[in-house]
Amino acid sequence: MTPPARPDPKTDPLLASLPEHEGFKVLDGRYVIFDILGQGGMGVVYRGKHLGLGLQVAIKCLDPVLARRDPQFVMRFEQEARAAARVDDPNVVRVHDVASSAGLYYMSMQYVQGENARQRVQRKGRLAIAEALTIGIGAVRGMTAAHHAGLIHRDIKPDNILISTTGEVKLADLGLAKVEGDSGMTYSGATMGTPRYMPPEQYDDAKRVAPNADVYGMGATLYFLLVGEDGIDGKTLPEVLKQVGSLPFPRVRAKRPEVDEALDELIARCVEKDPGLRPADGAELLAALEPFAVPGQGDLSDEQAQPTLLGVSMVSPPP
């Protein structure tokens, strides 16, 4: 299948003021921009190349309208870059730089070619158990590295788990990351994250969540990988809130009885409504999950994966 054509960055109004070199826009005199990879509530992500290093990168640019409207957006954008830069781990997308030029605030980060976990399930259907576990364990390792750095991701979901064509798993998009013990940039009482993958306490106040909030998101993600559909399937926010707040999270074995009972029980613990009943953090979940891996199985390399950028979904502006 031929991937859809991407918009031409030369016609992107966000880059209108940038000079051109050999037909390509150049940012900050260092980055040649090739194409647009994605866009969302806070800006646009481009694929480019660092001229000095010859390194292919992803470049995330904050929408200048937001930057002019409220300095909080700039502060939050820079916070994302600093948070991601604190985590140096092979299972986390690496941020290289954050700067501003020609009125644009941008960060450059590791470019990953492949697909995210949601795209993989959409392409293949529910995954083989060994494959789902390999993806899950890789993502939990990245989550554990973030927790060791004092960060809580707060947006763990299949869309933010990347699988490269060579089989690497990387956790991405620390845009909502919170430094433990710090109020951060989240507005008091604001609900931030992805509703179907958020634990109940995150709806009340995203500032006060602990690492076990990420454990909930990972449990919901493991359910998705193994079953092929979201465990919380409400079509509207009120429906989602009702399911998250008052209905039990569905069990994996109800849809896939061949899954090990102990693995089913572990995932059920991850998505408990009471945070105290979940594994405390990434390290505790990793220790519990790794014994289910089958040596020699779960190879993730897949040349059929579409060559796209992963894990740079744009976070919607806070209310």
Side-chain angles (χ1 to χ4, degrees):
M1 182 176 67
T2 303
R6 297 189 177 109
D8 187 347
K10 288 184 291 185
T11 62
D12 187 345
L14 199 68
L15 308 180
S17 63
L18 298 187
E20 290 189 15
H21 176 68
E22 296 183 358
F24 295 101
K25 290 288 187 177
V26 179
L27 174 63
D28 209 1
R30 296 184 293 166
Y31 297 99
V32 175
I33 296 177
F34 297 135
D35 51 19
I36 298 174
L37 297 168
Q39 59 190 65
M42 288 190 72
V44 184
V45 182
Y46 305 93
R47 181 177 66 90
K49 182 178 181 180
H50 190 290
L51 288 171
L53 300 176
L55 181 69
Q56 193 166 196
V57 295
I59 303 166
K60 188 172 183 177
C61 292
L62 178 66
D63 188 335
V65 175
L66 295 179
R68 289 192 297 267
R69 181 189 304 167
D70 188 344
Q72 291 273 352
F73 290 110
V74 176
M75 294 172 67
R76 183 169 163 211
F77 186 79
E78 293 174 341
Q79 173 186 279
E80 174 184 353
R82 289 194 299 269
R86 288 176 59 174
V87 186
D88 184 7
D89 186 87
N91 291 112
V92 176
V93 170
R94 185 74 172 144
V95 167
H96 303 305
D97 188 21
V98 60
S100 63
S101 177
L104 285 177
Y105 292 90
Y106 73 90
M107 71 175 77
S108 67
M109 67 189 86
Q110 182 180 12
Y111 175 81
V112 181
Q113 184 169 302
E115 61 192 345
N116 65 43
R118 183 172 296 279
Q119 291 168 333
R120 197 177 187 92
V121 170
Q122 289 172 340
R123 179 170 62 87
K124 300 177 67 174
R126 71 183 190 185
L127 303 182
I129 294 173
E131 182 178 5
L133 286 171
T134 302
I135 293 171
I137 289 170
V140 174
R141 286 174 178 157
M143 187 175 79
T144 300
H147 289 171
H148 283 165
L151 300 174
I152 303 168
H153 192 289
R154 298 194 298 182
D155 199 20
I156 301 289
K157 59 183 177 180
D159 314 67
N160 282 337
I161 297 173
L162 327 181
I163 308 103
S164 73
T165 54
T166 55
E168 297 172 300
V169 177
K170 293 181 181 291
L171 184 63
D173 208 341
L174 284 164
L176 293 184
K178 169 186 176 293
V179 179
E180 288 189 79
D182 183 11
S183 61
M185 291 302 302
T186 306
Y187 289 82
S188 179
T191 297
M192 304 185 72
T194 302
R196 292 182 180 181
Y197 288 82
M198 284 167 49
E201 69 272 17
Q202 194 165 337
Y203 287 90
D204 296 330
D205 191 345
K207 289 199 305 181
R208 302 185 183 279
V209 296
N212 53 25
D214 287 346
V215 170
Y216 181 100
M218 194 62 72
T221 295
L222 287 167
Y223 179 94
F224 175 80
L225 298 178
L226 290 165
V227 174
E229 59 190 43
D230 294 319
I232 302 297
D233 59 359
K235 300 300 186 293
T236 66
L237 185 57
E239 289 178 359
V240 170
L241 286 171
K242 179 180 178 181
Q243 291 178 358
V244 172
S246 59
L247 299 179
F249 199 98
R251 298 291 288 255
V252 172
R253 281 172 56 84
K255 292 290 185 75
R256 197 165 183 183
E258 70 270 26
V259 170
D260 188 286
E261 289 185 20
L263 176 58
D264 180 48
E265 183 62 33
L266 174 60
I267 295 172
R269 284 179 53 215
C270 290
V271 292
E272 286 279 4
K273 300 186 189 308
D274 182 350
L277 298 177
R278 303 175 203 144
D281 55 18
E284 186 174 326
L285 176 57
L286 184 62
L289 191 60
E290 282 185 324
F292 294 103
V294 181
Q297 295 188 28
D299 178 25
L300 301 178
S301 56
D302 190 344
E303 294 300 328
Q304 297 302 313
Q306 293 296 324
T308 63
L309 183 76
L310 310 170
V312 289
S313 58
M314 306 302 295
V315 181
S316 297

